[in-house]
């Protein structure tokens, strides 16, 4: 591995941002920060929901910014698959100086989870900065990192930086909806040469803050659970609501859902997730920290597991989880329901099969009237995560040490799923790391009033810029 720039020079470049992040009242933004904020704002305020948004528009707007920074049309590769005009994306390339050095890829999905304005306190598609947070759909997942990727590519071009290896940027659509056209899968299977790379960086793991906002640890993804949807369905002859009967499709379904809600899958660990709990326990401290250490030592410790399960983030890391996410029942207000359906979204622990989970759900509902169906898989089940080699970890640890001295870097099994599930099997090892620290409550990601700390975003920007620069010059 070559040394890119001196430690002193990099530290000096980061000091203004660090001072800004630590200030009680943030001063006016530097020009480069203001330029980044404009990119971020444009991305957040471009609706990219599957129902009524357009990833293609967001990609076009980012292409316009890259073109204005000096990228030629030959460097920019917009794409949209037939039949999916609003689900397009963009690949951009900054050419390297060494044709023998394999490229690196910056991967980011630009689609977002649906957000209903009537449910939100603030307009989800207006970037609002308030009380030290940015609010809006996608502010954290994952337009924050998308904006950093675009900003990094622009800064490199404007600064005349000549990387040793090609740096590729891929903005894709479809990550948030299992049944949607997925841009990462399309590129991996239909345009593989366009995104060919030695490795890729994407979302998947950030940092964890304690209740006071103090960084506890910076995480790097070391594997992820497999997402799978199941449908629970009850059909019934129905009838007039004035002639009620206990044989009601909604009642059958509701009973099954309650039984699922009361079940916890067994505690499990991978080597990396056990190591995570062993290291995080002493850092978290208190009752929760003690429980984390105890459950890592003995997964059968029900008392410790019960404490860990009170934290949704930690709970998702210690076993398979299944939760009801959507309901659809009945056809008229004055009729007995003829059909009732629910979607169960499961996050399956490595080593457990989809069939095993389906069979368990069927046993849990314990009702022959409830049909349990496995829906289409989002991706193939990953056999193993890419290895966290020294070539990957050392730059992360070096950058983390500059921005957050004393904060450990800890690999983590993530409960969520990323588009790395499509790239890693295609021969592009994909690593989840963002450098953006989040609140213990999850920051409203996928829910109402999504937010990210302003300091977390700007520090994450500095972290990723320095990290990409290091990787770009490696042997």
């Amino acid at each position: 591995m070559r040394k890119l720039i001196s430690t002193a020079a990099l530290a000096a470049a980061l000091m203004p941002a660090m001072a800004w992040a630590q200030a009680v009242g943030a001063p006016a933004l530097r020009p480069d920060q203001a330029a980044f904020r404009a990119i971020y704002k444009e991305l957040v305020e471009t609706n990219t929901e599957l129902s009524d948004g357009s990833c293609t528009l967001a990609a076009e707007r980012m292409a316009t910014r890259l073109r204005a920074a000096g990228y030629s049309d030959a460097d920019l590769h917009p794409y949209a698959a037939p039949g999916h005009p609003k689900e397009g994306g963009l690949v951009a390339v900054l050419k390297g100086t060494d044709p023998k050095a394999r490229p690196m890829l910056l991967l980011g999905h630009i689609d977002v989870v649906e957000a209903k304005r009537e449910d939100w306190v603030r307009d989800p598609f207006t970037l609002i900065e308030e009380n030290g947070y940015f609010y809006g759909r996608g502010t954290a997942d994952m337009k924050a990192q998308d904006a950093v990727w675009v900003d990094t590519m622009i800064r490199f071009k404007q600064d005349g930086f000549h990387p040793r290896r090609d740096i590729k940027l891929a903005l894709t659509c479809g990550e948030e909806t299992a049944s949607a056209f997925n841009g990462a899968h399309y590129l991996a299977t239909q345009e593989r040469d366009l995104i060919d790379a030695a490795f890729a960086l994407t979302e998947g793991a950030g940092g964890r803050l304690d209740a006071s906002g103090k960084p506890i640890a910076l995480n790097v993804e070391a594997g992820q659970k497999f997402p799978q949807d199941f449908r629970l369905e009850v059909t019934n002859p129905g009838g007039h609501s004035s002639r009620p009967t206990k044989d009601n499709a909604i009642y059958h379904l509701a009973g099954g859902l309650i039984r699922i809600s009361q079940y916890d899958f067994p505690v499990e660990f991978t080597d990396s997730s056990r190591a995570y709990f062993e290291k995080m326990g002493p850092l978290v401290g208190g009752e929760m920290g003690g429980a984390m250490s105890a459950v890592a030592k003995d997964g059968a410790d029900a008392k410790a597991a019960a404490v860990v399960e009170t934290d949704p983030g930690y709970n998702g890391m210690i076993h398979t989880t299944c939760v009801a996410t959507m309901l659809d029942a009945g056809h008229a207000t004055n009729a007995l329901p003829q059909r009732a359906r629910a979607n169960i979204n499961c996050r399956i622990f490595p080593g457990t099969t989809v069939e095993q989970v389906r069979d368990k759900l069927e046993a849990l509902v314990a009702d022959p009237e409830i049909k349990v169906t496995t829906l289409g898989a989002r991706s193939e089940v990953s056999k193993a995560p890419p290895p966290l080699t020294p070539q990957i970890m050392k730059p992360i640890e070096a950058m983390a040490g500059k921005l957050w001295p004393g904060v450990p870097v800890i690999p983590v099994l993530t409960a969520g799923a990323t588009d790395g599930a499509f790239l890693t099997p295609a021969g592009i090892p994909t690593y989840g790391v963002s450098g953006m620290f989040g609140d213990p409550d999850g920051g409203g990601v996928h829910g109402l009033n999504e937010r990210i700390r302003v300091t977390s975003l700007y520090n994450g920007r500095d972290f990723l810029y320095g990290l990409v620069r290091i990787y770009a010059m490696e042997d």
Side-chain angles (χ1 to χ4, degrees):
M1 184 186 300
R2 291 182 181 175
K3 193 170 182 180
L4 272 145
I5 56 177
S6 71
T7 300
L10 185 55
L14 295 177
M15 279 304 295
M18 294 170 66
W20 178 90
Q22 295 166 355
V24 174
L29 298 179
R30 303 190 311 258
D32 66 291
Q33 292 174 326
F36 164 71
R37 191 185 190 282
I39 296 170
Y40 183 52
K41 176 180 173 66
E42 186 169 43
L43 271 175
V44 172
E45 297 189 352
T46 303
N47 182 344
T48 53
E49 294 175 320
L50 179 64
S51 62
D52 61 354
S54 175
C55 287
T56 302
L57 177 59
E60 290 172 348
R61 288 175 171 174
M62 295 304 100
T64 297
R65 288 184 174 274
L66 289 164
R67 194 173 289 110
Y71 286 86
S72 68
D73 288 341
D75 300 323
L76 304 175
H77 307 274
Y79 68 90
H84 301 276
K86 292 187 177 182
E87 297 164 72
L90 173 71
V91 176
V93 182
L94 178 63
K95 298 298 292 184
T97 59
D98 185 353
K100 295 181 180 179
R102 292 194 65 202
M104 65 178 295
L105 176 67
L106 313 179
L107 175 68
H109 71 82
I110 50 178
D111 61 310
V112 296
V113 169
E114 301 286 321
K116 295 182 178 180
R117 175 64 186 93
E118 61 269 26
D119 294 338
W120 283 56
V121 173
R122 307 161 190 83
D123 181 355
F125 296 107
T126 298
L127 181 67
I128 295 174
E129 185 174 351
E130 184 178 299
N131 298 324
Y133 287 91
F134 285 120
Y135 287 88
R137 177 56 90 218
T139 48
D141 185 15
M142 66 166 290
K143 289 181 176 178
Q145 197 160 350
D146 294 332
V148 170
W149 290 155
V150 174
D151 171 70
T152 296
M153 296 287 282
I154 288 174
R155 291 169 72 186
F156 285 161
K157 176 66 77 170
Q158 291 177 335
D159 293 346
F161 174 61
H162 298 292
R164 182 168 176 265
R165 66 172 84 235
D166 289 359
I167 304 175
K168 298 182 178 181
L169 164 68
L171 300 177
T172 64
C173 198
E175 194 270 353
E176 296 290 12
T177 308
S179 59
F181 163 80
N182 185 283
H185 179 255
Y186 171 82
L187 291 171
T189 57
Q190 305 299 317
E191 299 284 353
R192 177 67 172 74
D193 290 344
L194 191 59
I195 60 167
D196 178 63
F199 65 95
L201 304 179
T202 191
E203 62 170 349
R208 175 97 179 194
L209 301 171
D210 64 16
S212 67
K214 179 183 176 181
I216 300 175
L218 178 66
N219 299 136
V220 181
E221 182 189 308
Q224 55 183 264
K225 293 165 76 178
F226 179 74
Q228 178 63 56
D229 287 314
F230 299 88
R231 178 188 294 135
L232 272 56
E233 182 173 28
V234 182
T235 56
N236 193 284
H240 201 288
S241 60
S242 66
R243 296 168 54 84
T245 172
K246 298 295 185 182
D247 184 22
N248 183 300
I250 292 176
Y251 296 163
H252 280 287
L253 181 64
L257 291 174
I258 289 173
R259 287 186 284 275
I260 290 174
S261 74
Q262 295 171 339
Y263 178 76
D264 291 320
F265 282 81
V267 171
E268 298 182 82
F269 286 102
T270 63
D271 289 344
S272 61
S273 66
R274 187 182 300 278
Y276 173 85
F277 275 78
E278 289 172 344
K279 294 176 181 177
M280 284 293 290
L283 297 174
V284 172
E287 182 185 25
M288 179 59 74
M292 293 172 71
S293 297
V295 79
K297 184 177 181 180
D298 180 8
D301 187 333
K303 184 177 179 181
V307 174
V308 172
E309 288 164 357
T310 63
D311 183 291
Y314 296 142
N315 179 49
M317 294 168 59
I318 61 173
H319 47 65
T320 293
T321 58
C322 290
V323 60
T325 56
M326 297 185 73
L327 286 170
D328 177 21
H331 62 284
T333 59
N334 59 352
L336 301 177
Q338 297 170 2
R339 187 183 304 272
R341 290 177 172 174
N343 188 83
I344 301 294
N345 181 260
C346 297
R347 304 296 171 128
I348 301 175
F349 205 86
T352 302
T353 68
V354 171
E355 292 74 21
Q356 287 173 324
V357 175
R358 196 211 72 84
D359 290 346
K360 186 61 182 181
L361 291 176
E362 192 170 67
L364 289 171
V365 299
D367 186 341
E369 296 298 317
I370 303 177
K371 181 181 179 182
V372 181
T373 303
T374 303
L375 302 181
R378 176 180 179 270
S379 65
E380 64 180 274
V381 178
S382 179
K383 294 181 175 60
L388 293 175
T389 63
Q391 288 75 19
I392 292 296
M393 289 299 294
K394 285 184 178 180
I396 294 173
E397 292 165 348
M399 285 302 306
K402 293 178 176 66
L403 283 166
W404 306 287
V407 175
V409 177
I410 302 178
V412 61
L413 171 74
T414 58
T418 76
D419 277 338
F422 300 104
L423 267 63
T424 296
I428 303 176
T430 303
Y431 301 93
V433 59
S434 73
M436 298 178 193
F437 285 74
D439 292 330
D441 66 0
V445 171
H446 286 208
L448 294 177
N449 308 310
E450 182 178 345
R451 71 186 190 278
I452 187 173
R453 290 184 183 236
V454 174
T455 53
S456 291
L457 177 62
Y458 284 99
N459 279 346
R461 171 183 180 250
D462 289 336
F463 170 82
L464 289 172
Y465 174 83
L467 183 64
V468 173
R469 193 176 181 107
I470 294 173
Y471 284 140
M473 298 299 287
E474 283 183 339
D475 291 328

